[in-house]
Amino acid sequence: MIRLDDTDRAPSQTRVVVAMSGGVDSSVVAALYAQAGYDVVGVTLQLYDHGEAMHHRPGACCAGQDIYDARTVAEKLGIPHYVLDYESRFRHAVIERFADAYAAGETPIPCVDCNRTVKFRDLLETARDLGADILATGHYVASRTMEGGRRGLFRPLDENRDQSYFLYATTQAQIDMLRFPLGETTKPEVRALAESFGLKVADKPDSQDICFVPNGHYTAIVEKLRPEAAEPGEIVHLDGRVLGRHAGVMRFTIGQRKGLGIAASEPLYVVGIDAARRQVVVGPRAALGVSAIRIDEVNWLGEETLDEAAARERELYVKVRSSRAPVPGHLAPAEGGGVEVRLHGTEEGVAPGQACVFYEDGEAGTRMLGGGVIRRKVAPFTTLTRDAEMMARSA
């Protein structure tokens, strides 16, 4: 049973703005609220030029077809539907930041930036202007009221669809107005509901690509906006040997093994990217192990302040990639100020620009406590020489 809301107001007196992407998930959310008698308004965001988007391959999101699908669903449900032109906001807050990150040798997560700015800041404000009591989306994350009256975000029932990693930057004020009805259900159940509502998007494939990247080739966008990211440079081993040349730091990420374009007698991985020197640093797998992570742009959702949590070295679990299970660690004050996460073990492939997301524990359905952007990693280097250690730290 999908729970829609826990307010004490009658559905007919509660206006719900649903962010409709044109996919099956948000369409079902709109249908559920409409069926239950809520005052529903559908909103779809135009994020970039849709003439170009029509040429994107299947699996890309937010394209012109998606706007058409959202409008068709709204007509089927008999609810008003608006398309908002957010192209300039999206370009500034997401696309340009995406290019900046690659030019700096980082690996960005544009979906996090989109949720943090365009969707849960700008769209939320628009929802308020429309008189909304609630902004609902089709994300797979659970939202419910906790003891004391605050709302919290929790990992969903369907762990294979868990999108909490991409929502770590959602603030408490935003959480209080947001609703995520699909957190307590599964994708097959959602598709079955779409069929029962007679929605043509019931069998529509899930979006897989970055929505603004034509044909999945992100390097074309980065090179156009930040040409310095495509400048050639050296591929350097941790021990100082120059092993080859590359065609731009934007083509690499920490942990990458394939596509390095070099020959070696042992498996080598990208362990560091020095954008200023245009160097890609490679080394053995042992050099990928990370024991501590320096983070910034932290969004903290715990009861105490972030500084208090770090000072008492609060235990928690963290995800450093969306597809990985949470692992144990604790917060701690970072040298020179700020916060870092100290892992109880080691993680591989921790890339600057990615997110480090906090959870109360490692179990399904656990509460999310926020997170931050990975800026620097500290490896144990137990198998490396002192010279290699110094190079890796500088990388």
Side-chain angles (χ1 to χ4, degrees), residues 23 111 138 201 273 322 330:
C111 290
V201 296
I273 299 173
S322 63
H330 65 268

Side-chain angles (χ1 to χ4, degrees), residues 30 34 41 53 55 81 84 88 109 132 185 217 254 259 270 295 315 321 335 338 346 349 351 362 370:
V41 177
H55 301 290
H81 176 255
L84 304 181
S88 61
I109 314 177
T185 188
H217 300 312
I254 303 299
V270 175
I295 56 176
E315 300 283 335
R321 294 276 186 170
E335 183 179 349
T346 59

Side-chain angles (χ1 to χ4, degrees), residues 3-187:
R3 181 179 58 191
L4 291 182
D5 192 37
D6 54 2
T7 67
D8 56 4
R9 297 180 63 185
S12 62
Q13 301 300 312
T14 305
R15 171 161 288 185
V16 180
V17 168
V18 179
M20 299 180 68
S21 68
V24 62
D25 298 321
S26 58
S27 296
V28 166
V29 168
L32 287 167
Y33 276 109
Q35 182 190 57
Y38 287 83
D39 177 12
V40 182
V41 177
V43 172
T44 301
L45 303 183
Q46 179 178 319
L47 300 179
Y48 53 86
D49 181 77
H50 293 92
E52 177 185 351
M54 290 299 289
H55 301 290
H56 289 196
R57 66 184 183 187
C61 72
C62 308
Q65 181 64 43
D66 295 325
I67 289 180
Y68 173 80
D69 289 341
R71 181 180 293 117
T72 301
V73 169
E75 290 175 353
K76 170 74 174 179
L77 300 176
I79 63 173
H81 176 255
Y82 301 98
V83 178
L84 304 181
D85 183 356
Y86 277 15
E87 284 192 36
S88 61
R89 306 182 194 201
F90 186 74
R91 179 183 178 87
H92 175 72
V94 181
I95 298 178
E96 291 186 1
R97 185 177 168 100
F98 176 84
D100 285 341
Y102 271 112
E106 298 182 342
T107 305
I109 314 177
C111 290
V112 168
D113 286 331
C114 185
N115 290 333
R116 181 177 59 86
T117 57
V118 174
K119 288 183 180 175
F120 294 159
R121 184 191 65 197
D122 299 342
L123 179 55
L124 202 66
E125 192 61 37
T126 298
R128 291 192 181 99
D129 291 342
L130 290 171
D133 302 290
I134 291 170
L135 173 62
T137 82
H139 288 95
Y140 284 82
V141 63
S143 169
R144 53 184 176 267
T145 303
M146 303 179 296
E147 185 177 348
R150 297 178 70 194
R151 294 189 69 86
L153 295 183
F154 301 79
R155 294 184 69 197
L157 174 67
D158 190 344
E159 291 190 75
N160 293 325
R161 312 296 305 183
D162 183 2
Q163 292 177 298
S164 61
Y165 181 85
F166 302 101
L167 298 172
Y168 80 84
T170 311
T171 67
Q172 186 62 56
Q174 293 166 348
I175 292 171
D176 290 340
M177 187 172 174
L178 286 163
R179 299 295 185 272
F180 305 96
L182 303 188
E184 308 291 348
T185 188
T186 66
K187 188 73 174 193

Side-chain angles (χ1 to χ4, degrees), residues 149-321:
R150 297 178 70 194
R151 294 189 69 86
L153 295 183
F154 301 79
R155 294 184 69 197
L157 174 67
D158 190 344
E159 291 190 75
N160 293 325
R161 312 296 305 183
D162 183 2
Q163 292 177 298
S164 61
Y165 181 85
F166 302 101
L167 298 172
Y168 80 84
T170 311
T171 67
Q172 186 62 56
Q174 293 166 348
I175 292 171
D176 290 340
M177 187 172 174
L178 286 163
R179 299 295 185 272
F180 305 96
L182 303 188
E184 308 291 348
T185 188
T186 66
K187 188 73 174 193
E189 291 171 334
V190 169
R191 291 199 181 277
L193 282 169
E195 287 280 1
S196 70
F197 287 125
L199 304 182
K200 293 183 179 181
V201 296
D203 296 323
K204 185 174 181 178
D206 293 331
S207 60
Q208 298 174 355
D209 290 336
I210 299 171
C211 67
F212 59 88
V213 177
N215 301 315
H217 300 312
Y218 73 89
T219 53
I221 287 179
V222 176
E223 184 172 6
K224 179 180 179 180
L225 295 177
R226 302 292 182 267
E228 65 272 20
E231 293 178 359
E234 295 177 334
I235 299 177
V236 182
H237 194 280
L238 274 172
D239 62 15
R241 289 177 292 147
V242 177
L243 302 182
R245 303 277 296 175
H246 65 76
V249 295
M250 66 180 180
R251 304 179 190 277
F252 300 89
T253 187
I254 303 299
Q256 180 177 334
R257 178 182 175 186
K258 296 181 179 180
L260 301 183
I262 55 175
S265 59
E266 61 174 335
L268 294 176
Y269 302 79
V270 175
V271 299
I273 299 173
D274 187 334
R277 298 179 180 179
R278 300 198 299 276
Q279 285 187 339
V280 174
V281 183
V282 298
R285 184 170 181 174
L288 288 174
V290 169
S291 58
I293 306 167
R294 179 69 181 268
I295 56 176
D296 65 11
E297 298 184 45
V298 178
N299 180 50
W300 174 247
L301 298 171
E303 280 69 31
E304 73 270 67
T305 68
L306 177 62
D307 288 342
E308 290 169 345
R312 71 179 182 89
E313 299 191 344
R314 173 166 177 163
E315 300 283 335
L316 38 67
Y317 278 66
V318 301
K319 271 190 177 191
V320 295
R321 294 276 186 170

